[in-house]
Amino acid sequence: MKKKVKSALIMTLVLATGAVSACSTKKDTDTPQPQGNGAATATPAATDSGKRETIEIFSSNPNANSALPPESEDFVKQAIEKKFNVTLKLTYNMVEGTDRYNKLNVRLASNDSPDIIVSGGTPALDYKKNGVLADINEFVSPEKMPNYFKWTTPEVVFKRYSMDKSKPEIQRIPIPVVKRSLVSYYIRQDWLDKLGLKVPTNLDEFMKVAHAFTFNDPDGNGKNDTYGFSVSAGGNGTGVDWPQFAANGLEGVLYTKDNKVVHYQMDPRTEAVLRDINKMVKDGSVDPDWFLQKGTAHIDKAVQGKVGIIRDASGKFGLESVPTSGASRSKEINPKAAWTAFNPNEGIPFWQENLPGPGFLVTKTAAQNPAKVQKAFQIIDYLSSEEGYLLSHYGKEGVHYTRKGNVITIMPENVKRDIEDKGNWLGIYQVFNQDEARTIGLEVIDPRETDKDREIIKKLRSYPISTSIGTNVAPPQGVDLPAQSKLENETMAKIALGELPPEQWKTTLDKIMNELGGKALLDSYTEQARAAGVIK
């Protein structure tokens, strides 16, 4: 977060904290407080007056183009409101980012707090520092949220995800997340066949294939208009897509290896990584727009037939059964286009296990109405129940899927009609549980998947993966993370582009570690990983 934005955020939070202590909770004028505190698995009783509470969850939209359908078609909302006798209000119409938190902060400063907030880690830490958050121990336990705890463990919730491991209170809980992302590199198989080449298995082979894709006319159009490899660094650093990282022993961004915490931007081996990237840049086999282009520009170029190798983190690039996948869009442009998933450094991990990112938190303002907060957590628990999970991820049984034992079979035509063609709106509910059905013993079959698609997914799950640090970490007091990151990214980009010699990394690393708090940061991360039991 930029310093000016952060300062504004903190000022707003100070105002919000004052509002919490000075004012009473803002209530809906036409809804009384709920009575009782029923379990998540039971339908809560109506209030004495028969009126329903409005429960607001302040979330985000994973897709800026998605919107919930009319209430008459929103079967998830209907199920929740019937089961819990509430009016559900989802505030979701902003993607994750500074603007979303600015909007929230204005509300907090006005003493108008949602019942539950979905927040990223950095804003949550700012809220904690400014005294905005409530202790939510009374609402969260395996007994009160039995379904939620099928996806995680008390140790993760109360210890590893805690923002203050020295105290028994908790001020956020994690959203269940898929432990392994289906990250993979993809290569144009038809280009390999045209040039008589094999899928590369190490960095030398990778660079030779990338060179051939650039200079040997792999698409046979007689033009010099293709490149071997591309990334989208967004004008900031190098990005992490380069196979040069794994080839030089850096297997992820932040992970554990040989009983140590490894940070890819605080490691001497980064010098060799940058040297190898610069070799490829000088060779001309990398798309020259790689540094400045943003988002999925490199994926788009691969689809257009301009680039022959990319790295995909969505898990869907190679799936021809997905109409919007890279492979499907490639075939629309060129029916002969064929992509193969591969690991360019065979047998070496190039990503780490995922840690929970966003979490649920409650402000002190909202906690002044504990019955509403309790009901909000019951709703979260319901969305992690088998019934709620299936409803929010796959739709209605008998309409959008069939079930036989633990096997869920998608009904594609109905899913397309009711969900996908309407902006894939279920994704807005899936924010509350991002894990996969196999975690609770369910197998999901999509008849649209081809045998090749199933083989690709199986292959992606077979890649070796590095061990995460096992806990969500926070920097120690006084460490200037923005200054560290700025220097790291600037130096990495300049070395990769040939503006600085690779040896400059030693000088930069020395400054990071000894002047900008890098050593204190790594020591703190190590202690936190040790406290989580990941290293000794």
Side-chain angles (χ1 to χ4, degrees):
M1 184 177 292
K2 294 181 179 179
K3 290 184 178 179
K4 289 184 179 178
V5 174
K6 188 171 182 179
S7 298
L9 169 64
I10 291 175
M11 180 60 71
T12 304
L13 290 171
V14 169
L15 293 172
T17 306
V20 167
S21 60
C23 305
S24 61
T25 306
K26 180 177 180 180
K27 298 186 179 77
D28 297 314
T29 56
D30 61 345
T31 52
Q33 284 192 227
Q35 305 298 316
N37 188 17
T41 53
T43 302
T47 58
D48 291 341
S49 66
K51 293 184 180 180
R52 304 196 305 180
E53 292 279 13
T54 294
I55 303 296
E56 182 184 5
I57 302 176
F58 191 90
S59 184
S60 62
N61 195 337
N63 183 346
N65 297 318
S66 292
L68 291 177
E71 292 190 15
S72 61
E73 299 176 14
D74 187 345
F75 47 78
V76 181
K77 185 179 190 331
Q78 291 171 17
I80 290 171
E81 292 186 339
K82 181 178 180 181
K83 186 175 185 67
F84 295 98
N85 190 35
V86 298
T87 296
L88 178 65
K89 179 182 178 182
L90 283 187
T91 303
Y92 68 91
N93 58 346
M94 299 186 75
V95 296
E96 184 66 12
T98 302
D99 289 344
R100 187 172 86 89
Y101 293 103
N102 287 342
K103 178 179 179 180
L104 174 61
N105 294 335
V106 170
R107 290 187 55 183
L108 296 183
S110 301
N111 199 37
D112 178 22
S113 176
D115 298 298
I116 283 184
I117 295 167
V118 174
S119 173
T122 300
L125 285 170
D126 283 331
Y127 292 139
K128 174 182 169 53
K129 290 174 184 176
N130 287 279
V132 174
L133 301 185
D135 179 6
I136 56 176
N137 263 299
E138 65 176 294
F139 307 112
V140 178
S141 70
E143 293 73 32
K144 291 182 178 179
M145 298 182 69
N147 298 304
Y148 170 82
F149 278 93
K150 291 176 183 177
W151 301 84
T152 186
T153 65
E155 181 186 34
V156 169
V157 173
F158 298 115
K159 184 177 179 181
R160 296 188 179 185
Y161 199 71
S162 171
M163 291 187 286
D164 190 346
K165 297 174 177 59
S166 65
K167 297 180 180 179
E169 67 179 30
I170 57 167
Q171 296 177 322
R172 65 173 179 174
I173 61 171
I175 293 175
V177 64
V178 177
K179 192 172 183 180
R180 171 194 282 269
S181 295
L182 297 183
V183 183
S184 184
Y185 289 83
Y186 285 88
I187 190 167
R188 279 290 291 263
Q189 184 64 51
D190 54 317
W191 288 11
L192 289 173
D193 296 342
K194 169 77 164 47
L195 299 178
L197 300 171
K198 295 181 179 180
V199 175
T201 60
N202 57 54
L203 185 59
D204 285 342
E205 293 175 1
F206 173 87
M207 294 178 74
K208 287 176 182 176
V209 168
H211 180 91
F213 279 4
T214 305
F215 299 104
N216 295 356
D217 192 22
D219 59 359
N221 69 354
K223 299 178 181 179
N224 185 23
D225 59 355
T226 58
Y227 291 96
F229 181 62
S230 187
V231 305
S232 294
N236 188 31
T238 62
V240 297
D241 286 6
W242 303 83
Q244 284 85 345
F245 283 104
N248 286 283
L250 293 173
E251 301 174 356
V253 173
L254 184 64
Y255 62 101
T256 60
K257 178 83 170 182
D258 298 329
N259 211 39
K260 293 181 180 179
V261 171
V262 181
H263 189 308
Y264 84 114
Q265 287 186 314
M266 294 184 184
D267 197 288
R269 292 171 291 185
T270 302
E271 178 181 330
V273 173
L274 298 173
R275 180 178 285 109
D276 285 341
I277 290 176
N278 178 245
K279 286 179 183 177
M280 200 170 180
V281 171
K282 287 195 296 186
D283 178 61
S285 53
V286 180
D287 167 21
D289 297 329
W290 72 267
F291 176 63
L292 292 177
Q293 65 190 8
K294 299 178 181 180
T296 60
H298 59 301
I299 302 290
D300 294 336
K301 287 183 175 180
V303 168
Q304 295 160 9
K306 297 177 181 178
V307 172
I309 310 172
I310 52 88
R311 180 178 180 268
D312 170 64
S314 73
K316 296 181 180 179
F317 181 90
L319 304 184
E320 295 178 347
S321 63
V322 178
T324 58
S325 74
S328 295
R329 290 187 290 145
S330 288
K331 279 194 173 295
E332 289 177 0
I333 295 172
N334 179 0
K336 295 182 180 180
W339 291 92
T340 293
F342 77 114
N343 179 353
N345 297 285
E346 200 167 273
I348 300 175
F350 53 85
W351 201 241
Q352 72 279 321
E353 297 169 332
N354 294 323
L355 284 171
F360 302 110
L361 49 85
V362 175
T363 67
K364 289 179 179 176
T365 298
Q368 292 181 41
N369 193 333
K372 283 189 69 179
V373 173
Q374 183 68 66
K375 192 162 286 191
F377 274 113
Q378 290 173 355
I379 292 170
I380 297 301
D381 187 61
Y382 169 71
L383 290 170
S384 289
S385 71
E386 187 176 279
E387 175 189 321
Y389 180 85
L390 287 172
L391 188 67
S392 60
H393 282 70
Y394 303 105
K396 298 169 69 173
E397 183 174 0
V399 178
H400 303 111
Y401 69 87
T402 59
R403 178 169 187 170
K404 187 175 182 180
N406 287 333
V407 179
I408 308 299
T409 302
I410 302 299
M411 301 171 71
E413 291 184 4
N414 294 353
V415 168
K416 185 175 187 301
R417 179 197 65 209
D418 297 340
I419 300 167
E420 294 175 349
D421 286 351
K422 296 181 179 180
N424 217 12
W425 59 271
L426 277 185
I428 294 167
Y429 287 104
Q430 292 164 11
V431 166
F432 305 125
N433 189 332
Q434 300 163 11
D435 213 326
E436 54 189 13
R438 61 198 318 214
T439 301
I440 53 173
L442 299 177
E443 178 186 357
V444 179
I445 296 175
D446 189 336
R448 292 171 292 189
E449 287 182 351
T450 65
D451 289 341
K452 180 181 179 181
D453 287 348
R454 295 187 183 98
E455 285 300 313
I456 288 174
I457 293 171
K458 182 179 179 181
K459 184 173 187 178
L460 270 52
R461 286 181 174 147
S462 74
Y463 291 152
I465 190 167
S466 290
T467 304
S468 76
I469 58 173
T471 183
N472 292 80
V473 292
Q477 198 72 24
V479 171
D480 191 344
L481 280 178
Q484 280 187 17
S485 181
K486 184 174 184 291
L487 179 59
E488 289 160 354
N489 286 326
E490 286 180 351
T491 305
M492 291 175 74
K494 288 180 178 179
I495 294 174
L497 292 166
E499 297 174 11
L500 287 174
E503 294 77 17
Q504 178 63 34
W505 184 250
K506 290 187 179 71
T507 303
T508 296
L509 188 58
D510 181 70
K511 183 173 182 178
I512 290 168
M513 300 302 287
N514 298 310
E515 297 180 30
L516 297 180
K519 185 177 184 303
L521 184 73
L522 270 186
D523 288 347
S524 175
Y525 286 177
T526 298
E527 285 306 310
Q528 291 174 70
R530 184 175 291 118
V534 180
I535 61 175
K536 297 179 181 179

